[in-house]
Amino acid sequence: MKLRQTLLAGAIAFAPVTAFAADLTIGFSQIGSESGWRAAETTVTKQEAKDRGITLKFADAQQKQENQIKAIRSFVAQGVDAILLAPVVATGWDEVLEEAQDADIPVVLLDRTVDAPDDLYLTAVTSDLVHEGSVAGQWLVDEMDGADCRIVELQGTTGSSPAIDRKTGFEQAIAGHDNLQIVRSQTGDFTRSKGKVVMESFLKAEGGENICALYAHNDDMAVGAIQAIKDAGLNPGDDIKIVAIDAVPDAHLAIANGDMNATIELTPNMAGPALDALEAFLADGTTPPKWIQTESKLFTAADDNQAIYEQKKDLGY
Amino acid sequence: MIGPKHSTFKRILPQLLILAAALAINLVVFPDFFDIDFRNGRLFGNLIDVLNRAAPVAILCVGMTLVIATRGIDLSVGAVMAIAGATSAAVVVEGHGWVTALLAGLGAGALCGLWNGILVAVLKIQPIVATLVLMVAGRGVAQLITEGKILTFSNEGLIHLGAGVVAGVPTPILIWMALGALVIFVVRRTALGMLIEAIGINERSSRLAGINSRVLLVCVYLVSGLCAALAGVIVAADIKGADANNAGLWLELDAILAVVIGGNSLLGGRFSILASLIGALIIQSVNSVILLSGMPPEFNLVIKALLILAILVIQSPRISYLMYMLRASGPQPQPDTAPLPKTQKEEAQ
Amino acid sequence: MTHDTGPVLHAKGISKFFPGTIALDEVDLRLEPGEVHALLGENGAGKSTLIKCLTGAYQRDNGTIHLDGQEVSPQSTADSQRMGIGTVYQEVNLLPNLTVAENLYLGRQPMRWGLMARRRMNAMARESLAGYGLDIDPAEPLTAYSVAIQQVVAIARAVEMSGKVLILDEPTASLDRDEVQLLFSVIRQLRDRGLAVVFITHFLDQVFEISDRATILRNGRVVGTRVLADVSQKDVVTLMLGRQLESQVHDRKPAKAGETLIEVENLGKRGMLDPLSLALREGEVVGLAGLLGSGRTETANLIFGAVPADQGRILLRGKEIPVSTPREAVKHRFALCPEDRKTEGIVGDLSVRDNIILARQASQGWMRPIPRAEVNEIAERYVKALDIRLASLDMPIRLLSGGNQQKALLARWLATNPDFLILDEPTRGIDVGAHAEIIALIEQLRSDGMALLVASSELEELVAYSTRVIVLRDRKQVRELSGAEITPENIVHAIAEHGTPAEEGAR
Ligand SMILES: Nc1ncnc2c1ncn2[C@@H]1O[C@H](COP(=O)(O)OP(=O)(O)OP(=O)(O)O)[C@@H](O)[C@H]1O
Ligand SMILES: [Mg+2]
């Protein structure tokens, strides 16, 4: 089995590489569609490929690594020109990445990295989670401008890397600003419903009037919290400032409605930079850096959130 | 002879005491715990939150108690919540009214319950395996309906079910209390309760006594599916959106726990829905301790596990027997005749 | 009996209280080496409770136990086994999912290189059971066999465990004469080896046949210990009941020609029962006789739909009716009081009241609950009529004594007012007093126009109430006796016509 694949891969490796963007075929192994953001990433990736005239072979792994490994093997067997991989877990990729390398097919990691020697993949396109947190923190620092502010924090799923990094980044940004103080921090599991429940308890435990700002590790929790704040008879966005991360359409809508103040974008467009790098590499061998960091863009009431909402809402969020 | 009222009280006394203790811990970590005021047209306070947030588990445990009484278990309720929430959301998003949406959600739950019931009662698959199928596959079905995103809606009627108030009281509180009262009434004022218990204790004897155990089993899973659907619609309404990935996640375990804390045996037989409902309140009170204590979230699971463990240990037959011995003087019965929750005489009305 | 050494086991002042019941009140029991000691008493007198207190299954509330002169206090049944007391409890307590051999040797399996020596164990089991006339495959799970066979397995296990005392609580309730004789020869061997054997039963003939002395309990108290050679059965009965048992006059009027109620035509199921036909008229009692495993219980189960038949049909008043489930049978006013009361009869954790009302409620449907007052009236009526001894109607039925459970099950079915009542071993575990009453009851029901089909291994009993007797052998109908033909001798003869009974007992 393995032998046959190796032979097959070897045979393909001898085929001349004709790197014209117009007839590129790229395989994309996506994790699944477990969140709106993921769905948007799929939509945007397909769109990016179409715009560039690239044939995209899409494989949905339904949260299973074995499906992703199968998909990559089948891409290799089909002799695609490159592979995009959004890995579901960090470990266990060495063997299949080696198979791709033996077949001279470059692999670009999207959104997450893997625990494998970095010569097994071309580059990884991810956001910087710590940076996202610090953009949020910096926004609050600027917004408060020295005024005292008691902050409550809705953390992501305890122990997950986005929760840890987004917390770290935020804390780094507010460090040294003694007027800003996180008074309560509890996990909302990245869900709207837990966001609402936990915010309810914050409002009671601290007293709504004593909370000046909410930092949520994602927009979903912020959207849930907004409802809890309204139920408490307070005015979200005004009485309590709200900053969160992801910039999903509902967050733009909330900002447009004045219920929320700021969100930092985790762009679903990982494919854009990835395809840029691939095209350059396949055309003339330009080696991209091992890590391409996507932009963490801040959106506030200053932007036309209504328009952005309309634009984003059909991406699949 | 002991009257029914008195014995109901005796049956739920341990649960009431534990609930009181759990509320007392809340009071310790947060002195204003019992304050309730009226704000923004609704009752506002921690106690209200406990009652309100207990709604999903309370509703689930009504059906779960019946299923467990037949010696079964329903692992699929969390997934069924997601399916029902997604179905209702999809229906209102299509522009239909909230009644249609609610009925569609309940219908989806009924179908799921029927499926489970047929697997268990007709195909004789072990309940834990039979309902595992839907537990695993159900969330996928829900995701298909919502296409992986949070299906947001703004239908006021539907939202009212989860986030609204009636005379200042959050609607979910009224719904779970009404449902609990209704099911307890039906089960105890008809012969349903006794027949369900008979099946759970000795299916073979019951069948030979002419009980239609197959139909009853299907019904019980059907009720569980309906309860799950109702909980799912409420949870979706609460956040104005169906979140197929997270709605009801792990709630089947909380529901089972509520039934167990309610002193019902997982081996089936005598049951008390009222005690299970108090069990649900106990679980929510424990959650409230965690939220109000302000401890870092890394401790959440540890605190919850310790508190639940303490509750189950206090309820264990050995300890109950010891307590009985401490209180009793004179002739002392043996563990097999001690007043264990399961074998107590009368049932909650 | 040897009196030069002291007693093997001497229990003094044993008391046991349950809520609402004084089950044992200062009971003394003295077992000499090499004696078979019968323990007698009415249903609920406290026999089983005494055994359980002696063997540590229950903790006694008072009293001392001396074993070979040393005070002991077994804390569990395993404890008493280690001390050399082997016990068969009234409700056979084996593990149904294990094989026969595993049940026999559980906890003391023959080992080989640290593993269970399965083949050797099976061989040992086969040999051991052969001593009781059983030729069965010990590698089969226990559930594959009838209660009677399970009981023999339990006895064999207890016998091998007993170094000093063997206690048998109603071991012969579901055994045939021949098995009983085999058991008695085993008991005699043990007795001759100097063991003390406690024997509980309601069959007085057996008591007088095997026992040397008897201790009689009434309402939890010892009313006397007698050397049986010195007393008559009548004396013993009077001691047990506290009154004289009026001798029953059997006025067996020939069956009044009632309407034909039930016709069973060629009903059978492959591997279970050869096609069988019988007809019952109102006011008739048909007895089913046969050895263990001859198909008595199978016949009852097929007619009641407890096991669906794969051929034949049933007609009710001339019209064919489907009876593939008990539910359908109940709908047509059939009733079946099963042989195995523990697994097929009682619903252990439900109250006595609910158990009595269960079948009637099931046939009414859940929507129409029987009003509480009526439930109480029915339950109290039958408790009184059948003299069921209980502390309260609210107590779980599993806490009743064995014989009283049996009566409660009878009450359950009488409460449905059946037209056709099937009784499978109705007097199993029932005391002498109640035994006569149940026979009188059957007679009464018959003259009220009910049709009854009664399977029993007690020939005298069958002869007493049957208007006809169907004899089964080897899962086949072999004879039908009626009128004056019905005598114990004729039945035994019909049963034994071909083959040897010992073989028939096995399955
Ligand atoms: N665990 C228990 N809890 C309460 N009452 C009990 C319990 N066990 C037995 N009893 C009661 O104690 C009395 C004696 O019961 P026991 O089983 O010893 O009778 P028995 O003499 O063995 O009768 P039988 O001949 O019917 O088997 C009965 O009234 C029974 O209801
Ligand atoms: Mg007994």
Side-chain angles (χ1 to χ4, degrees):
Chain A
M1 184 70 191
K2 174 107 191 294
L3 180 70
R4 212 189 79 216
Q5 265 165 4
T6 322
L7 285 177
L8 219 77
I12 293 159
F14 287 113
V17 180
T18 46
F20 293 113
D23 47 76
L24 277 183
T25 300
I26 290 180
F28 176 27
S29 171
Q30 175 63 294
I31 296 179
S33 57
E34 78 281 3
S35 68
W37 183 86
R38 185 75 51 202
E41 184 188 41
T42 303
T43 317
V44 171
T45 305
K46 286 178 177 166
Q47 191 58 44
E48 281 284 334
K50 197 168 153 222
D51 290 349
R52 293 162 196 248
I54 295 173
T55 313
L56 190 77
K57 290 185 180 295
F58 177 73
D60 180 339
Q62 297 182 326
Q63 317 292 328
K64 292 208 179 82
Q65 185 177 29
E66 73 235 40
N67 289 348
Q68 292 204 297
I69 291 176
K70 262 188 230 152
I72 294 171
R73 292 212 164 118
S74 120
F75 291 150
V76 170
Q78 293 170 37
V80 297
D81 299 298
I83 294 170
L84 301 179
L85 168 65
V88 64
V89 292
T91 52
W93 297 103
D94 299 44
E95 190 181 326
V96 72
L97 288 180
E98 275 164 23
E99 286 170 28
Q101 194 172 51
D102 289 346
D104 266 347
I105 300 174
V107 176
V108 176
L109 304 178
L110 292 193
D111 169 41
R112 300 179 181 184
T113 57
V114 298
D115 293 341
D118 67 2
D119 57 333
L120 289 181
Y121 55 87
L122 184 65
T123 179
V125 182
T126 72
S127 68
D128 182 344
L129 296 163
V130 177
H131 180 62
E132 289 166 354
S134 67
V135 172
Q138 192 56 48
W139 173 82
L140 195 62
V141 169
D142 297 343
E143 179 78 11
M144 295 323 296
D145 196 19
D148 282 343
C149 184
R150 292 161 59 84
I151 306 163
V152 294
E153 180 185 29
L154 283 170
Q155 298 186 27
T157 306
T158 309
S160 69
S161 62
I164 296 169
D165 292 349
R166 285 174 177 178
K167 183 172 176 57
T168 310
F170 187 83
E171 281 169 354
Q172 282 169 2
I174 64 168
H177 299 276
D178 293 340
N179 57 322
L180 303 181
Q181 186 199 354
I182 299 179
V183 293
R184 276 199 180 242
S185 179
Q186 179 54 262
T187 177
D189 284 336
F190 282 131
T191 69
R192 214 183 258 204
S193 148
K194 277 292 287 287
K196 183 174 180 184
V197 173
V198 175
M199 190 67 204
E200 275 177 3
S201 81
F202 285 168
L203 290 165
K204 267 134 216 159
E206 291 298 322
E209 337 49 77
N210 303 324
I211 299 173
C212 125
L214 163 69
Y215 166 48
H217 288 188
N218 78 350
D219 288 334
D220 280 344
M221 292 190 290
V223 169
I226 287 170
Q227 295 178 27
I229 296 168
K230 284 183 180 167
D231 284 349
L234 296 170
N235 197 350
D238 244 344
D239 297 330
I240 297 178
K241 304 270 184 237
I242 300 175
V243 55
I245 299 174
D246 279 356
V248 301
D250 281 345
H252 289 292
L253 194 61
I255 297 176
N257 292 340
D259 289 340
M260 190 167 156
N261 305 81
T263 183
I264 291 94
E265 184 175 52
L266 168 65
T267 177
N269 189 4
M270 302 274 166
L275 292 177
D276 286 346
L278 268 176
E279 281 175 342
F281 176 72
L282 293 175
D284 49 28
T286 317
T287 319
K290 274 293 152 190
W291 180 34
I292 300 173
Q293 183 190 336
T294 57
E295 191 189 358
S296 300
K297 192 159 177 253
L298 174 72
F299 290 92
T300 61
D303 300 280
D304 185 356
N305 285 284
Q306 192 66 42
I308 302 172
Y309 169 73
E310 297 299 336
Q311 190 191 323
K312 277 189 169 181
K313 77 173 199 280
D314 292 326
L315 288 180
Y317 273 110
Chain B
M1 209 180 78
I2 306 162
K5 280 278 139 37
H6 181 90
S7 56
T8 301
F9 179 71
K10 226 174 100 185
R11 166 66 178 84
I12 63 170
L13 185 62
Q15 282 73 37
L16 286 176
L17 291 176
I18 293 170
L19 180 61
L23 294 176
I25 300 176
N26 270 292
L27 192 65
V28 170
V29 301
F30 187 66
D32 294 336
F33 182 75
F34 287 108
D35 289 3
I36 292 178
D37 50 2
F38 200 75
R39 218 186 270 188
N40 197 24
R42 54 166 64 218
L43 289 170
F44 187 86
N46 289 295
L47 221 43
I48 301 295
D49 283 356
V50 168
L51 288 171
N52 190 22
R53 294 299 161 202
V57 174
I59 292 171
L60 289 181
C61 80
V62 169
M64 189 68 80
T65 306
L66 297 180
V67 169
I68 286 180
T70 65
R71 226 173 234 259
I73 199 140
D74 189 350
L75 294 181
S76 72
V77 289
V80 174
M81 281 177 70
I83 293 178
T87 308
S88 291
V91 170
V92 280
V93 167
E94 288 286 309
H96 298 282
W98 70 271
V99 178
T100 320
L102 176 63
L103 291 178
L106 292 178
L111 277 181
C112 294
L114 204 60
W115 162 265
N116 284 333
I118 288 172
L119 289 188
V120 172
V122 180
L123 301 182
K124 305 270 177 222
I125 300 177
Q126 291 206 8
I128 196 162
V129 180
T131 56
L132 193 65
V133 174
L134 202 53
M135 176 186 179
V136 175
R139 211 159 277 285
V141 173
Q143 282 166 356
L144 283 182
I145 300 172
T146 63
E147 296 166 347
K149 54 191 168 188
I150 299 183
L151 199 54
T152 313
F153 50 84
S154 54
N155 180 302
E156 284 305 324
L158 192 59
I159 291 170
H160 187 92
L161 293 176
V165 288
V166 175
V169 181
T171 323
I173 300 182
L174 300 173
I175 293 180
W176 77 253
M177 289 189 166
L179 177 85
L182 177 78
V183 175
I184 291 173
F185 182 84
V186 168
V187 159
R188 293 299 167 195
R189 286 301 140 123
T190 68
L192 210 52
M194 181 180 91
L195 299 183
I196 288 173
E197 287 175 345
I199 294 179
I201 296 166
N202 189 340
E203 219 225 289
R204 200 168 156 71
S205 291
S206 308
R207 211 175 62 86
L208 288 171
I211 296 176
N212 200 341
S213 61
R214 197 178 280 188
V215 168
L216 272 182
L217 274 179
V218 173
C219 283
V220 160
Y221 283 89
L222 188 75
V223 169
S224 181
L226 280 171
C227 289
L230 187 58
V233 173
I234 288 178
V235 163
D238 180 38
I239 57 167
K240 307 179 189 176
D243 183 351
N245 300 310
N246 299 305
L249 197 62
W250 306 125
L251 279 198
E252 55 278 342
L253 298 184
D254 272 6
I256 294 167
L257 189 61
V259 175
V260 171
I261 292 178
N264 298 294
S265 166
L266 286 178
L267 295 179
R270 312 296 310 256
F271 66 88
S272 164
I273 292 176
L274 187 57
S276 294
L277 289 173
I278 301 174
L281 288 178
I282 292 171
I283 293 177
Q284 193 51 42
S285 307
V286 169
N287 289 339
S288 166
V289 171
I290 290 167
L291 290 178
L292 292 175
S293 69
M295 297 274 271
E298 286 76 13
F299 291 98
N300 287 4
L301 295 178
V302 180
I303 300 175
K304 187 162 176 178
L306 286 179
L307 288 175
I308 300 289
L309 187 69
I311 291 168
L312 295 181
V313 166
I314 291 171
Q315 284 195 340
S316 74
R318 286 266 158 215
I319 305 283
S320 319
Y321 178 58
L322 277 183
M323 307 242 258
Y324 186 94
M325 294 287 275
L326 288 180
R327 265 185 292 138
S329 53
Q332 284 148 359
Q334 297 309 305
D336 55 340
T337 58
L340 309 186
K342 191 186 154 208
T343 55
Q344 265 179 359
K345 290 176 187 163
E346 275 300 327
E347 173 53 17
Q349 293 282 334
Chain C
M1 268 197 296
T2 41
H3 281 284
D4 38 33
T5 53
V8 183
L9 184 140
H10 195 178
K12 274 181 280 192
I14 305 285
S15 295
K16 179 72 192 169
F17 311 103
F18 293 119
T21 318
I22 300 173
L24 295 175
D25 188 4
E26 304 273 318
V27 170
D28 295 343
L29 182 69
R30 185 184 161 106
L31 302 179
E32 305 294 341
E35 77 162 339
V36 178
H37 195 114
L39 194 55
L40 304 175
E42 288 178 288
N43 294 133
K47 304 178 295 294
S48 300
T49 307
L50 176 59
I51 297 313
K52 289 181 186 163
C53 288
L54 293 182
T55 58
Y58 285 168
Q59 292 306 308
R60 60 189 185 281
D61 292 318
N62 247 323
T64 57
I65 305 171
H66 287 85
L67 189 67
D68 278 342
Q70 280 199 325
E71 180 157 359
V72 294
S73 195
Q75 294 301 307
S76 67
T77 52
D79 238 17
S80 61
Q81 276 175 6
R82 271 192 297 277
M83 296 172 185
I85 307 177
T87 314
V88 179
Y89 296 96
Q90 187 171 11
E91 308 298 344
V92 173
N93 232 346
L94 299 173
L95 301 165
N97 295 326
L98 296 188
T99 67
V100 171
E102 283 164 349
N103 266 297
L104 209 45
Y105 293 107
L106 188 70
R108 50 191 184 105
Q109 312 88 334
M111 303 298 268
R112 193 174 179 206
W113 298 328
L115 296 172
M116 193 157 74
R118 195 168 281 281
R119 198 173 308 159
R120 187 145 60 90
M121 186 169 80
N122 286 340
M124 284 162 62
R126 192 180 284 274
E127 193 182 329
S128 156
L129 292 175
Y132 298 86
L134 276 194
D135 177 23
I136 62 172
D137 181 3
E140 287 278 309
L142 190 70
T143 35
Y145 297 104
S146 66
V147 202
I149 289 174
Q150 297 184 16
Q151 195 150 30
V152 175
V153 174
I155 293 170
R157 177 180 167 84
V159 166
E160 301 200 5
M161 305 291 281
S162 53
K164 295 173 181 150
V165 181
L166 171 65
I167 301 176
L168 302 168
D169 193 350
E170 298 197 27
T172 56
S174 50
L175 298 189
D176 283 324
R177 296 177 174 210
D178 299 291
E179 280 93 358
V180 171
Q181 286 313 319
L182 285 166
L183 172 63
F184 282 2
S185 68
V186 173
I187 291 180
R188 288 193 188 99
Q189 283 167 25
L190 295 176
R191 179 193 64 191
D192 295 344
R193 276 182 14 214
L195 266 76
V197 180
V198 175
F199 182 48
I200 302 179
T201 186
H202 293 292
F203 297 112
L204 288 183
D205 291 345
Q206 294 178 4
V207 171
F208 278 82
E209 183 181 344
I210 188 83
S211 312
D212 306 305
R213 294 194 303 156
T215 293
I216 295 128
L217 293 177
R218 188 162 75 229
N219 290 330
R221 286 195 199 164
V222 176
V223 289
T225 297
R226 297 285 186 273
V227 175
L228 287 168
D230 302 344
V231 291
S232 69
Q233 282 207 19
K234 210 166 150 197
D235 300 336
V236 171
V237 171
T238 311
L239 269 177
M240 278 167 62
L241 306 185
R243 62 182 161 86
Q244 299 239 334
L245 185 68
E246 309 100 57
S247 60
Q248 297 283 318
V249 267
H250 296 306
D251 65 302
R252 203 145 47 79
K253 296 175 223 105
K256 268 194 278 129
E259 300 279 308
T260 300
L261 186 73
I262 303 286
E263 288 160 88
V264 173
E265 291 183 356
N266 290 321
L267 196 69
K269 186 180 171 78
R270 192 159 315 142
M272 193 174 157
L273 188 71
D274 278 5
L276 170 143
S277 300
L278 61 91
L280 268 128
R281 279 175 299 176
E282 288 167 355
E284 229 190 352
V285 179
V286 172
L288 280 178
L291 293 174
L292 260 184
S294 60
R296 291 179 314 214
T297 298
E298 287 80 357
T299 306
N301 283 345
L302 283 181
I303 296 177
F304 192 63
V307 179
D310 60 9
Q311 55 177 309
R313 56 181 197 154
I314 296 177
L315 301 138
L316 175 69
R317 297 194 177 88
K319 268 203 290 234
E320 180 172 351
I321 53 162
V323 183
S324 57
T325 63
R327 190 169 170 70
E328 282 170 329
V330 172
K331 206 170 70 195
H332 293 109
R333 309 187 81 86
F334 288 20
L336 166 67
C337 211
E339 173 187 23
D340 182 358
R341 66 169 166 258
K342 191 178 175 190
T343 64
E344 300 189 332
I346 64 166
V347 180
D349 280 340
L350 281 193
S351 66
V352 179
R353 177 194 291 113
D354 286 350
N355 266 283
I356 290 178
I357 209 72
L358 194 65
R360 179 160 171 164
Q361 180 64 68
S363 69
Q364 284 205 5
W366 64 270
M367 292 280 278
R368 291 172 43 220
I370 303 168
R372 206 174 167 80
E374 194 183 332
V375 169
N376 282 334
E377 189 272 319
I378 293 171
E380 273 156 22
R381 176 148 48 90
Y382 284 107
V383 163
K384 201 157 157 247
L386 300 176
D387 190 23
I388 303 175
R389 308 276 170 89
L390 38 66
S392 126
L393 278 173
D394 286 319
M395 72 193 279
I397 194 169
R398 65 185 166 84
L399 300 183
L400 287 189
S401 82
N404 284 309
Q405 290 178 11
Q406 186 73 20
K407 293 184 195 171
L409 290 180
L410 195 54
R412 172 192 293 173
W413 288 109
L414 292 179
T416 62
N417 292 325
D419 291 339
F420 175 36
L421 176 60
I422 309 171
L423 300 172
D424 195 356
E425 298 290 350
T427 54
R428 191 175 154 196
I430 296 246
D431 69 41
V432 260
H435 191 274
E437 280 161 34
I438 284 184
I439 291 175
L441 179 73
I442 290 174
E443 199 72 349
Q444 170 73 41
L445 294 172
R446 182 184 73 81
S447 65
D448 289 351
M450 196 183 283
L452 292 101
L453 182 66
V454 188
S456 175
S457 44
E458 280 186 67
L459 301 184
E460 288 76 14
E461 178 187 317
L462 277 176
V463 169
Y465 49 62
S466 302
T467 49
R468 279 184 292 140
V469 170
I470 289 175
V471 180
L472 296 167
R473 174 157 32 79
D474 233 357
R475 294 145 198 287
K476 265 201 269 304
Q477 190 173 7
V478 292
R479 270 298 291 279
E480 181 168 328
L481 306 170
S482 59
E485 287 178 319
I486 306 179
T487 62
E489 296 71 34
N490 282 347
I491 297 176
V492 170
H493 187 68
I495 288 174
E497 230 152 37
H498 308 279
T500 62
E503 268 170 35
E504 304 285 333
R507 47 176 293 176

